[in-house]
Amino acid sequence: MTNFPHIFEPLDLGFTTLKNRIIMGSMHTGLEEEKNGFERIANYYAERAKGGVGLIVSGGIAPNVQGWTGPFAARMSTKKHVKHHKIITDAVHKEGGKICMQILHAGRYGYHPFAVAPSAIKSPISPFKPFRLKPSGIKRTIRDFVNSAKLSKLAGYDGVEIMGSEGYLINQFIVERTNKRKDTYGGSYENRMRLPIELVKQTREAVGKEFIIIYRLSMLDLVEKGSSWEEVVALGKEIEIAGATIINTGIGWHEARIPTIATSVPRAAFTWVTKKMKEELSIPLVTSNRINMPETAEKILAEGHADLISMARPFLADSEWVNKAAENKSDEINTCIACNQACLDHVFERKVASCLVNPRACHETELNYLPTEKKKNIAVVGAGPAGLAAATIAAQRGHHVTLFDADKEIGGQFNMAKQIPGKEEFYETIRYFKKQLILQEVTVKLNKMVDAQDLKMGNFDEVIVATGIKPRTPKIEGMDHPMVLSYIDVLKHKKPVGKRVAVIGAGGIGFDVSEYLAHEGESPSLHIDAWLKEWGIDKTMKARSGIEGITAEIDPSPREIFMFKRSKGKFGANLGKTTGWIHRSTLKKKKVQFINNVQYTKIDDDGLHYVQNGSQNVLSVDNVIICAGQLPHAALVAPLEEIGLKVHVVEGADVAVELDAKRAIDQASRLAATI
Ligand code: FAD
Ligand code: NAP
Ligand code: SF4
């Protein structure tokens, strides 16, 4: 008996049936453009199909060169392309899955000199000014979309998704913000929505009745001069008439300054938009954004917010998500924590996507956890993310593993991270590993600070040292003053913090500690309405684009916070590409003051003394909190080597500079795969 009856109710589309209500949403992985990329991507999708996904939507494929997202991006415009895509569709069908190809024309988001758009207006997120499409260019673009759809059918796809949201070309035609044309594709709304309607109509005519057409409709643009709700509804109705099988929900343009998928966005924060659209349309609707666990998906379906759920990143984190849900094993799901660190950030850096909690994602052909031929007795010291990954993977492969930690609980620094408002999802990674330790029968010894002698007595064949880091203590006069606290004092030991605070260091932890100190009460990331208020989103949909004329209301910080760094330059420049701006924006709204280019001179009863631009200053504060980076913590290694034990060192314990959980888990997993 399933706990999730709505998820597992098949959906009959008339000519084909989806076996459940879960769609793997479109996600560019960068594999499309890699050597042997199609074989690799076929393996990646096939694992997800085997994992039970009802329908997969491929990453965006351009219909022509002008539509590229970046130079040489994947395209479907000739028979040569069909051959490559056949590798994907065959692999997915072999596993009993279905797959649609997303046709994406980037328009002015194209990061290349051939970009085109309804009007020659540069986007704030690409350095390339697009060319204005001539009327003949529009006709050619429609032909290319239709050609792409026909070729995708030839390649064995079960359908296409026409990407009409997130601010790409079609969206650019729809709204006045980007469409200043005076011809039949500009001016009135009727004209501006002409392109998507023609696209869907002509595609349907070309592919016949028995082919899925999903249209991704931008239901909430979240940018000035976007669509009004009435316009979105009008377009939705026309798209339905034009022949779409399913309408998917698009939330927010890429250039919107409102987060839509980051970890601080509450789960299911935008399904109310799809629910509102359900009152207007009769074809199945898909909802998306920050849905990562079966309980959330089931509730959305049960409450009638949508007919289908689209999740993208959760399938990087766990290819078996659907099968685990089917077996009522939610607690075994490796949950996507919405950090973006290994997926979106990689794509924007032109690297192959992967996943922080699952380094196998997009590396299915080269990173595998195969049964060991020689069982060993292995000790893992440290139960942070690295030690947890090493221990569970080594045990899964058949080794006998004992995991030690000095702390009373597993999780290492993630126990601090999960307390930051907006980072509650980090708890899920600890939950996942806790369950894996049981399933893989790892012996866990907590409250145990081990030394070399303990390990010698344990008769271990090999030891993995995953003891993480120790915080850096800067050499500033007065570091022993009682007002000085470390981030560990604040987050772990819960030492009281006063009303005026200086934070030394502006890396990830400096930002997180400032966010922690700037909030009071429950995190807005756990309350959709509170969060929407903080970001100025109008749930009544009376405001154009969901935001026009709405003032964001954020609770003031209970403290005055001053963040310091020695270097010049922007605060948060080293934070994640797709999330750094969110942290900066939140702290600015909380009136945190950023002070850079300083030298610290001393800390005493008067506060923090520092030099900036040659002048001496003193800031009176109640506390100075040190977040000045981290150092390796590998004290165990030398004594272990001295007694002749075979030692492997993981990350923090190895090189602490810029160590984060992504690197820690990746390195530990790769080590455990070969040990
Ligand atoms: P740790 O997590 O430090 O774990 C080491 C463990 O070893 C500890 O549990 C310790 O008790 C144990 N140990 C040490 N010595 C011994 C011994 N002799 N015997 C027994 N046990 C021992 N990273 C990201 O990628 N993204 C983020 O958003 C992010 N946010 C963060 C927010 C905060 C507030 C903090 C503090 C860190 C954050 N990090 C983040 C960093 C991330 O948590 C670390 O990079 C990661 O935890 C490192 O993993 P690890 O297993 O190497 O070490
Ligand atoms: P970090 O990112 O290296 O930042 C350290 C900060 O301390 C810098 O701002 C640095 O700025 C300052 N600093 C360095 N040496 C100093 C010294 N001797 N005296 C005074 N200030 C000094 O390290 P972190 O913030 O400790 O984070 C640790 C790891 O966790 C990082 O890898 C980080 O990526 C990861 N993390 C990631 C996130 C995330 O959201 N992705 C969040 C938290 C942590 P100046 O040199 O300019 O003073
Ligand atoms: Fe999710 Fe982070 Fe993995 Fe991306 S890297 S899939 S956001 S857990």
Side-chain angles (χ1 to χ4, degrees):
M1 178 69 180
T2 174
N3 289 343
F4 311 112
H6 292 86
I7 292 181
F8 291 101
E9 189 186 336
L11 181 65
D12 184 0
L13 297 174
F15 56 92
T16 189
T17 299
L18 304 184
K19 61 185 170 194
N20 57 52
R21 302 304 179 101
I22 302 295
I23 294 186
M24 174 174 165
S26 175
M27 212 171 5
H28 187 73
T29 60
L31 281 177
E32 297 84 349
E33 290 86 28
E34 283 286 295
K35 195 163 166 267
N36 297 332
F38 281 90
E39 281 77 13
R40 286 179 65 184
I41 206 161
N43 271 279
Y44 156 74
Y45 285 136
E47 275 201 16
R48 275 76 195 163
K50 193 172 173 200
V53 177
L55 177 66
I56 294 171
V57 180
S58 78
I61 305 289
N64 55 27
V65 167
Q66 291 96 321
W68 279 346
T69 43
F72 308 106
R75 185 158 60 96
M76 178 67 106
S77 25
T78 68
K79 290 242 168 94
K80 194 182 93 199
H81 298 133
V82 168
K83 206 174 100 205
H84 290 140
H85 283 263
K86 194 96 183 44
I87 305 171
I88 296 177
T89 56
D90 282 349
V92 169
H93 291 151
K94 204 167 141 215
E95 297 297 349
K98 290 193 196 308
I99 182 163
C100 290
M101 187 188 87
Q102 188 188 70
I103 310 179
L104 181 153
H105 190 305
R108 71 176 193 156
Y109 282 170
Y111 210 84
H112 57 83
F114 315 114
V116 292
S119 303
I121 308 168
K122 201 179 89 57
S123 94
I125 58 171
S126 168
F128 297 95
K129 187 173 171 186
F131 295 103
R132 176 186 183 274
L133 270 170
K134 294 187 183 135
S136 58
I138 297 178
K139 295 270 174 283
R140 200 180 49 245
T141 305
I142 296 175
R143 268 204 313 276
D144 289 344
F145 262 86
V146 174
N147 178 47
S148 218
K150 281 200 306 200
L151 291 172
S152 76
K153 193 174 178 192
L154 208 60
Y157 282 101
D158 300 278
V160 286
E161 176 172 82
I162 296 176
M163 180 43 149
S165 67
E166 321 313 271
Y168 291 113
L169 180 83
I170 296 176
N171 230 177
Q172 293 159 24
F173 266 88
I174 293 167
V175 304
E176 279 180 341
R177 175 184 180 84
T178 40
N179 184 346
K180 310 283 181 201
R181 302 178 76 92
K182 305 245 181 310
D183 60 7
T184 50
Y185 289 92
S188 67
Y189 188 62
E190 200 185 344
N191 282 352
R192 281 183 276 125
M193 65 174 173
R194 192 179 303 281
L195 178 76
I197 298 167
E198 286 186 1
L199 274 176
V200 175
K201 218 170 168 173
Q202 294 192 29
T203 303
R204 176 55 77 205
E205 280 163 16
V207 296
K209 282 189 183 151
E210 305 204 338
F211 195 63
I212 300 170
I213 298 180
I214 308 172
Y215 180 83
R216 184 114 180 243
L217 176 66
S218 186
M219 293 195 199
L220 193 64
D221 290 332
L222 300 178
V223 288
E224 296 286 324
K225 292 205 177 87
S227 295
S228 68
W229 181 246
E230 292 69 29
E231 289 171 347
V232 178
V233 171
L235 177 57
K237 290 187 169 167
E238 291 292 341
I239 294 293
E240 182 169 336
I241 296 166
T245 324
I246 294 171
I247 288 185
N248 192 358
T249 304
I251 302 286
W253 287 35
H254 286 317
E255 66 202 66
R257 291 290 87 183
I258 292 178
T260 53
I261 58 166
T263 191
S264 55
V265 177
R267 286 186 185 178
F270 293 102
T271 61
W272 52 273
V273 185
T274 320
K275 179 165 189 253
K276 216 168 161 53
M277 187 57 82
K278 263 187 78 67
E279 293 158 19
E280 310 285 348
L281 304 180
S282 48
I283 57 174
L285 295 191
V286 187
T287 197
S288 68
N289 288 56
R290 284 291 284 116
I291 302 164
N292 60 353
M293 288 300 276
E295 289 73 9
T296 313
E298 177 66 18
K299 188 163 180 281
I300 293 164
L301 295 171
E303 291 178 357
H305 286 212
D307 305 285
L308 292 145
I309 304 285
S310 170
M311 297 182 296
R313 297 169 300 168
F315 288 109
L316 286 175
D318 197 332
S319 60
E320 284 285 320
W321 193 103
V322 176
N323 285 346
K324 287 177 182 174
E327 291 166 18
N328 296 331
K329 290 176 179 169
S330 294
D331 59 346
E332 291 184 27
I333 289 175
N334 196 359
T335 305
C336 164
I337 58 174
C339 63
N340 285 356
Q341 285 177 238
C343 51
L344 270 192
D345 285 349
H346 275 207
V347 171
F348 280 101
E349 289 159 16
R350 305 210 148 267
K351 292 198 258 179
V352 170
S354 188
C355 174
L356 179 141
V357 299
N358 173 27
R360 276 200 74 240
C362 299
H363 296 277
E364 288 77 9
T365 52
E366 42 107 5
L367 179 58
N368 281 298
Y369 310 138
L370 304 173
T372 177
E373 283 170 8
K374 191 168 170 228
K375 288 193 180 188
K376 295 176 194 163
N377 191 15
I378 294 174
V380 178
V381 188
L388 289 167
T392 52
I393 293 168
Q396 178 195 325
R397 294 187 52 232
H399 294 299
H400 181 266
V401 181
T402 308
L403 174 66
F404 298 93
D405 203 291
D407 216 328
K408 62 177 190 309
E409 56 186 351
I410 64 160
Q413 293 175 64
F414 263 33
N415 286 310
M416 289 184 271
K418 74 182 186 200
Q419 296 177 50
I420 308 300
K423 278 192 155 176
E424 293 80 10
E425 290 287 359
F426 282 55
Y427 158 81
E428 296 287 2
T429 304
I430 303 174
R431 184 267 308 146
Y432 166 75
F433 278 121
K434 198 176 260 177
K435 183 73 186 180
Q436 286 301 310
L437 291 173
I438 298 168
L439 293 174
Q440 307 303 341
E441 298 179 5
V442 174
T443 306
V444 181
K445 299 202 170 172
L446 297 177
N447 293 308
K448 178 76 190 148
M449 171 69 85
V450 294
D451 58 24
Q453 283 311 316
D454 296 324
L455 294 168
K456 191 178 175 191
M457 306 276 282
N459 282 328
F460 294 106
D461 299 314
E462 296 182 26
V463 180
I464 297 177
V465 176
T467 45
I469 52 82
K470 53 185 182 203
R472 178 186 283 120
T473 307
K475 291 190 179 64
I476 305 170
E477 188 187 327
M479 279 296 288
D480 54 353
H481 192 280
M483 75 161 70
V484 178
L485 300 173
S486 75
Y487 65 86
I488 297 178
D489 290 330
V490 176
L491 298 175
K492 186 170 175 180
H493 305 308
K494 301 280 186 282
K495 296 218 173 138
V497 179
K499 290 282 179 197
R500 258 173 85 85
V501 182
V503 174
I504 288 189
I509 293 179
F511 266 84
D512 274 357
V513 166
S514 300
E515 289 221 22
Y516 177 82
L517 295 173
H519 281 84
E520 214 170 21
E522 261 215 299
S523 163
S525 299
L526 300 176
H527 295 275
I528 295 175
D529 287 342
W531 183 86
L532 293 172
K533 215 165 99 189
E534 270 207 348
W535 288 94
I537 301 168
D538 173 29
K539 218 176 163 183
T540 68
M541 297 296 278
K542 289 193 185 104
R544 179 173 283 277
S545 224
I547 54 160
E548 273 188 29
I550 306 291
T551 311
E553 291 172 42
I554 195 160
D555 289 341
S557 165
R559 299 183 173 81
E560 272 185 281
I561 302 171
F562 303 84
M563 273 181 86
F564 284 87
K565 66 177 184 130
R566 298 168 307 169
S567 49
K568 292 182 181 163
K570 200 160 101 180
F571 271 74
N574 295 332
L575 299 180
K577 202 165 170 73
T578 59
T579 49
W581 65 272
I582 304 170
H583 296 297
R584 267 196 307 276
S585 166
T586 308
L587 291 188
K588 267 190 198 153
K589 287 191 222 159
K590 292 277 187 183
K591 304 214 172 353
V592 170
Q593 295 188 44
F594 301 109
I595 305 167
N596 65 0
N597 192 20
V598 300
Q599 288 127 26
Y600 310 108
T601 39
K602 68 174 169 182
I603 299 163
D604 62 16
D605 289 347
D606 293 332
L608 174 66
H609 300 248
Y610 64 95
V611 177
Q612 190 185 37
N613 299 326
S615 71
Q616 183 73 51
N617 303 275
V618 57
L619 180 76
S620 162
V621 286
D622 301 314
N623 291 104
V624 176
I625 299 169
I626 308 296
C627 307
Q630 304 181 326
L631 299 171
H633 179 38
L636 256 184
V637 179
L640 283 175
E641 283 173 346
E642 256 169 47
I643 56 176
L645 266 171
K646 185 161 181 191
V647 187
H648 307 269
V649 190
V650 182
E651 277 305 346
D654 183 3
V655 184
V657 178
E658 288 182 3
L659 168 77
D660 60 8
K662 180 180 79 173
R663 240 175 68 199
I665 294 178
D666 184 77
Q667 196 191 345
S669 305
R670 285 173 191 278
L671 168 66
T674 53
I675 200 168

